Amino acid sequence: DVPLTQSAVMRYANGHWDTLIVDCSVVSVIEFRDTLYVAGSCGPVNPADTPAVADVKYWDDGIWVQCGVFDTWGATRLRAVDDTLYLVGSFTQVDGQICSGVARRVGSQWEALPTLPTNGPIVSDIVKFQGELVVSGNVSAGSTSGIARLHQGEWLPMGAGILGGQSNVRVLK
């Protein structure tokens, strides 16, 4: 049994449920390139270790492996865009790089995207729209807020912006 104050990632295989992780506050789960990733406040990989700093882990042959080092708990969502894995949230450093809550996985490391002009952004989601990456959340670009687009390495306004708290962005065709 998992206490209500905890969450678990469950897998249904061979007619029964398996618990893949317990004692973890998972906020996002994604299967990317045949590998399961989780993001959230997950504690240490090995209970005998010091509590983990990483917010992201991947499942590798029966164990969870830390996937990056972040300065604060602040992962919001894992998302695959054009065969690239992205992580968004409120973190300000990833794998030793200054970051404003948007990073992409390159090989075995996270790479920070250009810094958002927002002071202390909380990025909720990332999508691709008309060939450009778009982020939503507590972000700003120019005089707009709530949404920004990455154009030639710079975050720019997207229309008049969005008021209020948005957490999910979808592109409809």
Side-chain angles (χ1 to χ4, degrees):
D1 291 336
V2 177
L4 294 177
T5 58
Q6 299 174 339
S7 60
V9 174
M10 306 295 289
R11 172 180 61 181
Y12 189 76
N14 300 320
H16 69 281
W17 288 98
D18 294 325
T19 302
L20 299 182
I21 193 167
V22 179
D23 197 17
C24 183
S25 177
V26 175
V27 296
S28 186
V29 178
I30 189 169
E31 184 178 10
F32 179 73
R33 295 183 182 162
D34 296 325
T35 301
L36 184 65
Y37 289 82
V38 295
S41 177
C42 296
V45 172
N46 179 341
D49 293 342
T50 307
V53 179
D55 294 322
V56 180
K57 296 181 182 187
Y58 65 91
W59 186 250
D60 183 25
D61 198 27
I63 61 167
W64 288 103
V65 179
Q66 288 182 339
C67 182
V69 178
F70 303 84
D71 63 333
T72 59
W73 183 85
T76 305
R77 184 176 319 276
L78 290 160
R79 172 92 64 201
V81 177
D82 288 345
D83 203 36
T84 300
L85 183 62
Y86 290 88
L87 176 68
V88 297
S90 60
F91 47 91
T92 58
Q93 287 189 19
V94 59
D95 289 343
Q97 305 165 60
I98 300 297
C99 187
S100 61
V102 185
R104 72 176 151 224
R105 192 84 174 146
V106 179
S108 63
Q109 299 291 314
W110 289 101
E111 179 181 276
L113 268 65
T115 303
L116 282 155
T118 308
N119 185 18
I122 301 171
V123 184
S124 301
D125 207 349
I126 186 168
V127 295
K128 188 170 186 181
F129 179 69
Q130 296 181 347
E132 297 177 325
L133 290 174
V134 174
V135 294
S136 68
N138 180 22
V139 299
S140 64
S143 60
T144 68
S145 64
I147 194 164
R149 64 189 175 96
L150 185 60
H151 179 76
Q152 297 179 351
E154 181 181 4
W155 292 103
L156 298 175
M158 189 164 182
I162 301 173
L163 296 176
Q166 56 284 339
S167 62
N168 293 305
V169 177
R170 297 290 184 268
V171 176
L172 304 175
K173 297 180 185 208

